């Protein structure tokens, strides 16, 4: 089993993207253009002629190189069109050229030595009424309250409109993260890989918005934002319900990206989403690395 470590400039991006697109566990997070934005100069472990691949999101601080899960990238790990058995994953881990790492694997990377994390997903291959019937009582009540505010949902906001609103509300992130958000939204929009939904009040003011990222066979609840009025009017309940109406009866998974925060998890579960586990791996503690891990979400 020949697994080779490649620096960023050594990777054949055409072969890389072909592997990701044909993989049974394909995810947009692992496509080269996406990695280029969230983890510039990412590296890779590649088995044979791109039969199995694993992105290495390298970060450097104080002269120390390590691997850390990039922002807005819930899952990475090993990708292939072939079966990914646990022993293959183990072989990849042994080839990681850095002493410190903290990474999330994807749902098809079953690795029992890792830490289990919950993702919440909803199958949309049913009609809307059937899906709605499985909503929790509280979610149905909140959607009814949302409708009482006479707000309206708009699909296909522009990237500029979303970013202007997002940055007017969200303040607690470093400049580096702001730059990555801008690049990711603009490039995803240019590639038609996102749909932007917004909720507006009667004064035609945007009060809540969501980035819906399109991946292979799934739509991803990527980046939500609401101002105080949006939160008070339960606008995100209306946005998510609208998305489900739009995409019901399609062979798609609505991926909520999961959370261990009880209130957030309850929001996802309220729409009938179920848990799909994935694994997190890490080597050495954050403190051992001089607090250099920059976790963003």
């Amino acid at each position: 089993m020949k697994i080779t470590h490649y620096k960023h400039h050594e990777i054949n991006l055409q072969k890389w993207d072909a592997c990701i697109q044909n993989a049974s566990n394909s995810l947009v997070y692992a496509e080269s253009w996406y990695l280029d934005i969230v983890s510039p100069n990412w590296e890779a472990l590649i088995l044979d002629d791109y039969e199995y691949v694993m992105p290495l999101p390298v970060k450097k601080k104080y002269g120390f190189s390590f691997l850390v899960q990039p922002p807005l990238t819930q899952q990475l790990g090993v990708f292939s069109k072939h079966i990914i058995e646990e022993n293959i994953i183990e072989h990849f881990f042994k080839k990681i050229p850095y002493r410190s790492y903290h990474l999330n694997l994807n749902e098809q990377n079953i690795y029992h030595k890792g830490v289990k994390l919950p993702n919440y997903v909803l199958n949309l291959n049913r009609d809307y009424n059937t899906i709605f019937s499985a909503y929790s009582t509280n979610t149905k009540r909140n959607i009814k309250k949302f409708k009482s505010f006479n707000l309206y949902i708009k699909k296909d906001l522009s990237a500029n409109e979303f970013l202007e609103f997002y940055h007017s509300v969200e303040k607690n992130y470093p400049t580096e993260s702001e730059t990555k958000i801008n690049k990711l939204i603009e490039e995803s929009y240019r590639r038609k890989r996102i749909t932007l939904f917004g909720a507006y009040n009667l004064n035609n003011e945007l009060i809540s918005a969501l980035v819906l990222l399109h991946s292979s066979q799934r739509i991803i609840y990527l980046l939500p934002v609401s101002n105080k009025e949006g939160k008070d009017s339960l606008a995100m309940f209306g946005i998510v319900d609208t998305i489900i109406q739009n995409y019901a009866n399609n062979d798609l998974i609505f991926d909520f990206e999961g959370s261990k925060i009880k209130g957030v998890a309850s929001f996802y579960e309220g729409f009938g989403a179920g848990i799909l586990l994935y694994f997190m791996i890490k080597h050495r503690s954050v403190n051992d690395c001089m607090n250099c891990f920059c976790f963003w979400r």
Side-chain angles (χ1 to χ4, degrees), residues 280-296:
M280 179 268 289
I281 60 166
K282 65 179 178 178
H283 186 256
R284 298 186 69 184
S285 70
V286 174
N287 289 334
D288 287 340
C289 298
M290 301 177 293
N291 297 315
C292 60
F293 284 98
C294 300
F295 298 110
W296 191 52

Side-chain angles (χ1 to χ4, degrees), residues 44-268:
L45 294 176
I46 299 172
L47 173 60
D48 296 333
D49 189 19
Y50 292 79
E51 293 299 309
Y52 293 78
V53 302
M54 179 181 181
L56 301 178
V58 180
K59 192 173 181 68
K60 181 178 285 188
K61 198 167 186 180
Y62 306 125
F64 180 84
S65 295
F66 55 94
L67 304 182
V68 65
Q69 195 72 15
L72 295 175
T73 309
Q74 187 200 47
Q75 300 175 28
L76 289 175
V78 180
F79 295 87
S80 179
K81 65 181 179 181
H82 307 295
I83 295 173
I84 305 172
E85 297 181 346
E86 192 163 7
N87 70 308
I88 293 176
I89 298 169
E90 186 74 45
H91 280 295
F92 269 87
F93 292 166
K94 289 178 180 178
K95 290 291 185 177
I96 292 177
Y98 299 100
R99 295 179 61 187
S100 299
Y101 50 82
H102 189 141
L103 300 171
N104 296 342
L105 307 180
N106 62 72
E107 294 152 2
Q108 290 191 34
N109 286 182
I110 307 302
Y111 188 66
H112 293 96
K113 294 179 184 179
V115 177
K116 293 179 181 178
L117 296 175
N119 191 22
Y120 287 85
V121 298
L122 175 66
N123 200 321
L124 296 173
N125 65 351
R126 297 159 290 163
D127 65 85
Y128 170 71
N129 290 332
T130 300
I131 298 174
F132 180 83
S133 67
Y135 287 7
S136 70
T137 300
N138 185 60
T139 296
K140 291 177 181 177
R141 185 185 304 118
N142 285 334
I143 291 172
K144 186 176 181 180
K145 287 181 182 177
F146 160 77
K147 291 179 179 178
S148 72
F149 289 101
N150 295 317
L151 305 175
Y152 70 94
I153 305 295
K154 177 182 174 183
K155 184 181 177 183
D156 295 328
L157 278 69
S158 70
N160 287 340
E161 187 176 10
F162 174 84
L163 288 170
E164 183 178 350
F165 176 67
Y166 184 85
H167 293 309
S168 74
V169 176
E170 296 291 326
K171 301 293 184 184
N172 298 319
Y173 48 77
T175 303
E176 177 190 6
S177 298
E178 180 177 349
T179 300
K180 286 182 180 179
I181 291 171
N182 292 345
K183 287 183 178 179
L184 185 61
I185 299 304
E186 290 166 356
E187 182 63 15
S188 300
Y189 187 85
R190 187 186 72 81
R191 290 174 175 267
K192 299 182 180 179
R193 299 300 296 273
I194 57 173
T195 304
L196 301 171
F197 286 82
Y200 293 79
N201 62 21
L202 293 176
N203 295 320
N204 200 35
E205 297 167 331
L206 184 60
I207 62 173
S208 188
L210 174 66
V211 177
L212 191 69
L213 177 66
H214 298 265
S215 189
S216 176
Q217 301 301 311
R218 65 177 62 196
I219 52 176
I220 300 170
Y221 181 95
L222 185 69
L223 189 59
V225 57
S226 297
N227 62 19
K228 185 178 186 303
E229 184 180 356
K231 293 175 182 177
D232 291 344
S233 59
L234 305 170
M236 200 55 66
F237 282 91
I239 290 175
V240 172
D241 183 57
T242 298
I243 289 171
I244 292 172
Q245 291 182 54
N246 273 254
Y247 292 92
N249 269 329
N250 282 283
D251 189 20
L252 290 170
I253 296 294
F254 193 172
D255 184 342
F256 286 94
E257 283 205 318
S259 178
K260 293 189 292 185
I261 301 172
K262 185 176 180 181
V264 177
S266 295
F267 173 76
Y268 301 151

